[in-house]
Amino acid sequence: MAKLRGLVLVGVLGAVLFTASPASAEPVRPAAVAVTVAHAAAAPVLVQTQPPGPVLDPAQTDKANSEKTKNKLIAGVVAVALLGIVIWGRRIRSKKAKSS
């Protein structure tokens, strides 16, 4: 019964998180478009006044990449330390079990 309750709880939580809209989403801004009509029978021509994509600053990209690398390195060191603690604890426990 406890397993079923846990599965239901995980399912409900997953459904809520899956359907929730992200809080950090920025509002969508439509691109500025100017319509010029050359002739009454001709199709309208769309002219974009904004650049077609985001402008990336190489300095900010390099800084973000270095921060990400630093975070991954810290996480790796913590993972190795925790693995070492687990192996060391198992070795101590096996030595105690052999001696008793």
Side-chain angles (χ1 to χ4, degrees):
M1 188 67 179
K3 275 188 174 182
L4 180 63
R5 190 180 320 143
L7 287 174
V8 169
L9 180 65
V10 168
V12 169
L13 183 63
V16 167
L17 292 176
F18 182 70
T19 58
S21 64
S24 63
E26 295 181 16
V28 178
R29 249 185 1 205
V33 177
V35 178
T36 57
V37 178
H39 199 17
V45 177
L46 300 177
V47 179
Q48 289 186 352
T49 59
Q50 291 182 344
V55 178
L56 299 177
D57 184 18
Q60 288 179 345
T61 304
D62 291 340
K63 183 179 177 185
N65 286 339
S66 66
E67 288 177 5
K68 188 174 182 180
T69 303
K70 182 181 174 185
N71 288 342
K72 284 186 177 184
L73 184 63
I74 291 171
V77 168
V78 169
V80 168
L82 290 174
L83 181 64
I85 291 170
V86 168
I87 292 172
W88 180 62
R90 287 184 180 197
R91 183 174 294 164
I92 289 174
R93 191 178 348 157
S94 68
K95 284 182 181 179
K96 284 184 181 180
K98 284 182 184 179
S99 66
S100 356

